[in-house]
Amino acid sequence: MQKIITISFLLIALQACSKIDDHFAVPQQPTVQTETTPISQFTGYAQGNAVHLSFTYTGDLSQVAAFRIYSGTDSHQLCAIGELQITTNNSHFEFVDNNPKGDPTYYLIGILGQNGQITYANIILPVHLHAQHS
């Protein structure tokens, strides 16, 4: 009986990400744990049925392959919802989530390095959908 409960719990945890997500929750291997990351000014606001995120990266962009955006209704169960590829030397980035998961929706940024490792920003940002941006 205990095995059935364990298997059921694992199946529920794996289904936490929707079909439009990348089907993996954080943390994902390989991972680098750091106390600080060069992510600053990470903000978000709801407008209509979308959430607009923006952040500044103060590190060396030549070491970054992409920024992976994670979201979820629980700050401990976040799923990848998209990536921002590095195409310019601009240090300011924006992402629009057209399918927020709930109120609030929590967001996290993963920094995908050229070496394949992911470093997670030390900020999980809650965005309330009913607090509309003016």
Side-chain angles (χ1 to χ4, degrees), residues 89-110:
N89 287 328
N90 189 358
S91 62
H92 185 75
F93 297 89
E94 296 181 357
F95 181 85
V96 177
D97 179 6
N98 289 312
N99 298 299
K101 306 227 182 315
D103 191 12
T105 298
Y106 296 89
Y107 293 94
L108 173 72
I109 300 170

PDB file of all heavy atoms in Angstrom, residues 89-110:
ATOM      1  N   ASN A  89      23.964  42.731 -26.992  1.00  0.00           N
ATOM      2  CA  ASN A  89      24.735  43.047 -25.791  1.00  0.00           C
ATOM      3  C   ASN A  89      23.915  43.863 -24.801  1.00  0.00           C
ATOM      4  O   ASN A  89      24.444  44.376 -23.834  1.00  0.00           O
ATOM      5  CB  ASN A  89      26.012  43.800 -26.159  1.00  0.00           C
ATOM      6  CG  ASN A  89      27.025  42.875 -26.801  1.00  0.00           C
ATOM      7  OD1 ASN A  89      27.079  41.694 -26.477  1.00  0.00           O
ATOM      8  ND2 ASN A  89      27.798  43.407 -27.724  1.00  0.00           N
ATOM      9  N   ASN A  90      22.617  43.991 -25.048  1.00  0.00           N
ATOM     10  CA  ASN A  90      21.733  44.725 -24.161  1.00  0.00           C
ATOM     11  C   ASN A  90      21.660  43.995 -22.821  1.00  0.00           C
ATOM     12  O   ASN A  90      21.531  42.773 -22.782  1.00  0.00           O
ATOM     13  CB  ASN A  90      20.344  44.835 -24.791  1.00  0.00           C
ATOM     14  CG  ASN A  90      19.438  45.760 -24.024  1.00  0.00           C
ATOM     15  OD1 ASN A  90      19.810  46.306 -22.985  1.00  0.00           O
ATOM     16  ND2 ASN A  90      18.225  45.927 -24.521  1.00  0.00           N
ATOM     17  N   SER A  91      21.700  44.717 -21.721  1.00  0.00           N
ATOM     18  CA  SER A  91      21.668  44.081 -20.404  1.00  0.00           C
ATOM     19  C   SER A  91      20.270  44.061 -19.792  1.00  0.00           C
ATOM     20  O   SER A  91      20.078  43.508 -18.726  1.00  0.00           O
ATOM     21  CB  SER A  91      22.633  44.794 -19.453  1.00  0.00           C
ATOM     22  OG  SER A  91      22.237  46.141 -19.280  1.00  0.00           O
ATOM     23  N   HIS A  92      19.289  44.665 -20.455  1.00  0.00           N
ATOM     24  CA  HIS A  92      17.908  44.699 -19.950  1.00  0.00           C
ATOM     25  C   HIS A  92      17.061  43.727 -20.763  1.00  0.00           C
ATOM     26  O   HIS A  92      17.096  43.736 -21.990  1.00  0.00           O
ATOM     27  CB  HIS A  92      17.334  46.108 -20.041  1.00  0.00           C
ATOM     28  CG  HIS A  92      15.976  46.225 -19.439  1.00  0.00           C
ATOM     29  ND1 HIS A  92      15.777  46.244 -18.076  1.00  0.00           N
ATOM     30  CD2 HIS A  92      14.757  46.282 -19.991  1.00  0.00           C
ATOM     31  CE1 HIS A  92      14.491  46.327 -17.834  1.00  0.00           C
ATOM     32  NE2 HIS A  92      13.848  46.346 -18.984  1.00  0.00           N
ATOM     33  N   PHE A  93      16.290  42.886 -20.069  1.00  0.00           N
ATOM     34  CA  PHE A  93      15.505  41.849 -20.732  1.00  0.00           C
ATOM     35  C   PHE A  93      14.060  41.909 -20.276  1.00  0.00           C
ATOM     36  O   PHE A  93      13.768  42.280 -19.140  1.00  0.00           O
ATOM     37  CB  PHE A  93      16.092  40.465 -20.421  1.00  0.00           C
ATOM     38  CG  PHE A  93      17.472  40.296 -20.951  1.00  0.00           C
ATOM     39  CD1 PHE A  93      18.571  40.649 -20.186  1.00  0.00           C
ATOM     40  CD2 PHE A  93      17.683  39.815 -22.230  1.00  0.00           C
ATOM     41  CE1 PHE A  93      19.850  40.520 -20.682  1.00  0.00           C
ATOM     42  CE2 PHE A  93      18.962  39.678 -22.739  1.00  0.00           C
ATOM     43  CZ  PHE A  93      20.045  40.029 -21.964  1.00  0.00           C
ATOM     44  N   GLU A  94      13.156  41.523 -21.191  1.00  0.00           N
ATOM     45  CA  GLU A  94      11.733  41.501 -20.885  1.00  0.00           C
ATOM     46  C   GLU A  94      11.132  40.195 -21.375  1.00  0.00           C
ATOM     47  O   GLU A  94      11.580  39.630 -22.379  1.00  0.00           O
ATOM     48  CB  GLU A  94      11.023  42.688 -21.546  1.00  0.00           C
ATOM     49  CG  GLU A  94      11.501  44.011 -20.997  1.00  0.00           C
ATOM     50  CD  GLU A  94      10.788  45.208 -21.614  1.00  0.00           C
ATOM     51  OE1 GLU A  94       9.957  45.017 -22.524  1.00  0.00           O
ATOM     52  OE2 GLU A  94      11.067  46.332 -21.170  1.00  0.00           O
ATOM     53  N   PHE A  95      10.123  39.732 -20.651  1.00  0.00           N
ATOM     54  CA  PHE A  95       9.425  38.497 -20.994  1.00  0.00           C
ATOM     55  C   PHE A  95       7.950  38.687 -20.658  1.00  0.00           C
ATOM     56  O   PHE A  95       7.615  39.271 -19.628  1.00  0.00           O
ATOM     57  CB  PHE A  95       9.997  37.318 -20.186  1.00  0.00           C
ATOM     58  CG  PHE A  95       9.349  36.006 -20.502  1.00  0.00           C
ATOM     59  CD1 PHE A  95       9.788  35.240 -21.577  1.00  0.00           C
ATOM     60  CD2 PHE A  95       8.305  35.519 -19.721  1.00  0.00           C
ATOM     61  CE1 PHE A  95       9.189  34.026 -21.871  1.00  0.00           C
ATOM     62  CE2 PHE A  95       7.710  34.307 -20.010  1.00  0.00           C
ATOM     63  CZ  PHE A  95       8.150  33.552 -21.091  1.00  0.00           C
ATOM     64  N   VAL A  96       7.061  38.203 -21.530  1.00  0.00           N
ATOM     65  CA  VAL A  96       5.621  38.285 -21.281  1.00  0.00           C
ATOM     66  C   VAL A  96       5.079  36.871 -21.119  1.00  0.00           C
ATOM     67  O   VAL A  96       5.269  36.017 -21.990  1.00  0.00           O
ATOM     68  CB  VAL A  96       4.881  39.014 -22.427  1.00  0.00           C
ATOM     69  CG1 VAL A  96       3.374  39.014 -22.183  1.00  0.00           C
ATOM     70  CG2 VAL A  96       5.398  40.431 -22.581  1.00  0.00           C
ATOM     71  N   ASP A  97       4.432  36.640 -19.987  1.00  0.00           N
ATOM     72  CA  ASP A  97       3.763  35.368 -19.723  1.00  0.00           C
ATOM     73  C   ASP A  97       2.285  35.568 -20.043  1.00  0.00           C
ATOM     74  O   ASP A  97       1.570  36.242 -19.302  1.00  0.00           O
ATOM     75  CB  ASP A  97       3.956  34.958 -18.255  1.00  0.00           C
ATOM     76  CG  ASP A  97       3.260  33.655 -17.908  1.00  0.00           C
ATOM     77  OD1 ASP A  97       2.707  32.994 -18.816  1.00  0.00           O
ATOM     78  OD2 ASP A  97       3.273  33.293 -16.723  1.00  0.00           O
ATOM     79  N   ASN A  98       1.834  34.981 -21.147  1.00  0.00           N
ATOM     80  CA  ASN A  98       0.438  35.107 -21.560  1.00  0.00           C
ATOM     81  C   ASN A  98      -0.468  34.092 -20.893  1.00  0.00           C
ATOM     82  O   ASN A  98      -1.680  34.119 -21.118  1.00  0.00           O
ATOM     83  CB  ASN A  98       0.323  34.991 -23.080  1.00  0.00           C
ATOM     84  CG  ASN A  98       0.897  36.207 -23.772  1.00  0.00           C
ATOM     85  OD1 ASN A  98       0.594  37.335 -23.410  1.00  0.00           O
ATOM     86  ND2 ASN A  98       1.751  35.981 -24.762  1.00  0.00           N
ATOM     87  N   ASN A  99       0.099  33.197 -20.095  1.00  0.00           N
ATOM     88  CA  ASN A  99      -0.677  32.167 -19.404  1.00  0.00           C
ATOM     89  C   ASN A  99      -0.285  32.067 -17.938  1.00  0.00           C
ATOM     90  O   ASN A  99       0.193  31.030 -17.492  1.00  0.00           O
ATOM     91  CB  ASN A  99      -0.466  30.808 -20.082  1.00  0.00           C
ATOM     92  CG  ASN A  99      -0.939  30.806 -21.511  1.00  0.00           C
ATOM     93  OD1 ASN A  99      -2.105  31.021 -21.777  1.00  0.00           O
ATOM     94  ND2 ASN A  99      -0.018  30.592 -22.442  1.00  0.00           N
ATOM     95  N   PRO A 100      -0.476  33.143 -17.149  1.00  0.00           N
ATOM     96  CA  PRO A 100      -0.134  33.047 -15.726  1.00  0.00           C
ATOM     97  C   PRO A 100      -0.944  31.937 -15.064  1.00  0.00           C
ATOM     98  O   PRO A 100      -2.069  31.639 -15.461  1.00  0.00           O
ATOM     99  CB  PRO A 100      -0.491  34.415 -15.159  1.00  0.00           C
ATOM    100  CG  PRO A 100      -1.173  35.168 -16.224  1.00  0.00           C
ATOM    101  CD  PRO A 100      -1.052  34.422 -17.502  1.00  0.00           C
ATOM    102  N   LYS A 101      -0.336  31.302 -14.078  1.00  0.00           N
ATOM    103  CA  LYS A 101      -0.903  30.099 -13.485  1.00  0.00           C
ATOM    104  C   LYS A 101      -1.927  30.359 -12.388  1.00  0.00           C
ATOM    105  O   LYS A 101      -2.726  29.503 -12.085  1.00  0.00           O
ATOM    106  CB  LYS A 101       0.227  29.246 -12.933  1.00  0.00           C
ATOM    107  CG  LYS A 101       1.283  28.946 -13.969  1.00  0.00           C
ATOM    108  CD  LYS A 101       1.648  27.524 -13.960  1.00  0.00           C
ATOM    109  CE  LYS A 101       2.729  27.143 -14.923  1.00  0.00           C
ATOM    110  NZ  LYS A 101       2.642  27.660 -16.248  1.00  0.00           N
ATOM    111  N   GLY A 102      -1.904  31.508 -11.761  1.00  0.00           N
ATOM    112  CA  GLY A 102      -2.824  31.780 -10.650  1.00  0.00           C
ATOM    113  C   GLY A 102      -2.560  33.140 -10.050  1.00  0.00           C
ATOM    114  O   GLY A 102      -1.823  33.942 -10.607  1.00  0.00           O
ATOM    115  N   ASP A 103      -3.163  33.373  -8.910  1.00  0.00           N
ATOM    116  CA  ASP A 103      -2.993  34.653  -8.239  1.00  0.00           C
ATOM    117  C   ASP A 103      -2.618  34.415  -6.786  1.00  0.00           C
ATOM    118  O   ASP A 103      -3.478  33.988  -6.008  1.00  0.00           O
ATOM    119  CB  ASP A 103      -4.289  35.455  -8.326  1.00  0.00           C
ATOM    120  CG  ASP A 103      -4.119  36.900  -7.898  1.00  0.00           C
ATOM    121  OD1 ASP A 103      -2.960  37.342  -7.749  1.00  0.00           O
ATOM    122  OD2 ASP A 103      -5.135  37.590  -7.728  1.00  0.00           O
ATOM    123  N   PRO A 104      -1.359  34.614  -6.434  1.00  0.00           N
ATOM    124  CA  PRO A 104      -0.292  35.135  -7.277  1.00  0.00           C
ATOM    125  C   PRO A 104       0.369  34.025  -8.106  1.00  0.00           C
ATOM    126  O   PRO A 104       0.219  32.845  -7.821  1.00  0.00           O
ATOM    127  CB  PRO A 104       0.718  35.690  -6.267  1.00  0.00           C
ATOM    128  CG  PRO A 104       0.565  34.806  -5.075  1.00  0.00           C
ATOM    129  CD  PRO A 104      -0.900  34.440  -5.043  1.00  0.00           C
ATOM    130  N   THR A 105       1.112  34.449  -9.117  1.00  0.00           N
ATOM    131  CA  THR A 105       1.996  33.556  -9.865  1.00  0.00           C
ATOM    132  C   THR A 105       3.415  33.935  -9.471  1.00  0.00           C
ATOM    133  O   THR A 105       3.759  35.110  -9.408  1.00  0.00           O
ATOM    134  CB  THR A 105       1.802  33.708 -11.385  1.00  0.00           C
ATOM    135  OG1 THR A 105       0.466  33.357 -11.716  1.00  0.00           O
ATOM    136  CG2 THR A 105       2.753  32.803 -12.149  1.00  0.00           C
ATOM    137  N   TYR A 106       4.231  32.925  -9.179  1.00  0.00           N
ATOM    138  CA  TYR A 106       5.622  33.141  -8.767  1.00  0.00           C
ATOM    139  C   TYR A 106       6.540  32.938  -9.966  1.00  0.00           C
ATOM    140  O   TYR A 106       6.314  32.037 -10.780  1.00  0.00           O
ATOM    141  CB  TYR A 106       6.007  32.171  -7.656  1.00  0.00           C
ATOM    142  CG  TYR A 106       5.222  32.392  -6.396  1.00  0.00           C
ATOM    143  CD1 TYR A 106       4.010  31.752  -6.177  1.00  0.00           C
ATOM    144  CD2 TYR A 106       5.685  33.273  -5.420  1.00  0.00           C
ATOM    145  CE1 TYR A 106       3.280  31.973  -5.021  1.00  0.00           C
ATOM    146  CE2 TYR A 106       4.959  33.498  -4.263  1.00  0.00           C
ATOM    147  CZ  TYR A 106       3.755  32.846  -4.069  1.00  0.00           C
ATOM    148  OH  TYR A 106       3.034  33.076  -2.921  1.00  0.00           O
ATOM    149  N   TYR A 107       7.601  33.760 -10.045  1.00  0.00           N
ATOM    150  CA  TYR A 107       8.546  33.697 -11.160  1.00  0.00           C
ATOM    151  C   TYR A 107       9.977  33.597 -10.645  1.00  0.00           C
ATOM    152  O   TYR A 107      10.327  34.164  -9.616  1.00  0.00           O
ATOM    153  CB  TYR A 107       8.406  34.935 -12.054  1.00  0.00           C
ATOM    154  CG  TYR A 107       7.082  34.965 -12.769  1.00  0.00           C
ATOM    155  CD1 TYR A 107       6.003  35.648 -12.228  1.00  0.00           C
ATOM    156  CD2 TYR A 107       6.897  34.277 -13.957  1.00  0.00           C
ATOM    157  CE1 TYR A 107       4.775  35.661 -12.862  1.00  0.00           C
ATOM    158  CE2 TYR A 107       5.669  34.282 -14.609  1.00  0.00           C
ATOM    159  CZ  TYR A 107       4.614  34.975 -14.046  1.00  0.00           C
ATOM    160  OH  TYR A 107       3.390  34.976 -14.672  1.00  0.00           O
ATOM    161  N   LEU A 108      10.782  32.889 -11.417  1.00  0.00           N
ATOM    162  CA  LEU A 108      12.201  32.694 -11.121  1.00  0.00           C
ATOM    163  C   LEU A 108      12.956  32.716 -12.435  1.00  0.00           C
ATOM    164  O   LEU A 108      12.441  32.248 -13.461  1.00  0.00           O
ATOM    165  CB  LEU A 108      12.406  31.341 -10.425  1.00  0.00           C
ATOM    166  CG  LEU A 108      13.834  30.881 -10.181  1.00  0.00           C
ATOM    167  CD1 LEU A 108      14.484  31.705  -9.070  1.00  0.00           C
ATOM    168  CD2 LEU A 108      13.859  29.406  -9.820  1.00  0.00           C
ATOM    169  N   ILE A 109      14.175  33.228 -12.418  1.00  0.00           N
ATOM    170  CA  ILE A 109      15.020  33.257 -13.605  1.00  0.00           C
ATOM    171  C   ILE A 109      16.169  32.280 -13.419  1.00  0.00           C
ATOM    172  O   ILE A 109      16.851  32.294 -12.398  1.00  0.00           O
ATOM    173  CB  ILE A 109      15.594  34.666 -13.849  1.00  0.00           C
ATOM    174  CG1 ILE A 109      14.458  35.663 -14.041  1.00  0.00           C
ATOM    175  CG2 ILE A 109      16.534  34.663 -15.066  1.00  0.00           C
ATOM    176  CD1 ILE A 109      14.905  37.095 -14.053  1.00  0.00           C
ATOM    177  N   GLY A 110      16.368  31.438 -14.412  1.00  0.00           N
ATOM    178  CA  GLY A 110      17.523  30.553 -14.464  1.00  0.00           C
ATOM    179  C   GLY A 110      18.486  31.060 -15.517  1.00  0.00           C
ATOM    180  O   GLY A 110      18.069  31.414 -16.623  1.00  0.00           O
TER     181      GLY A 110
END
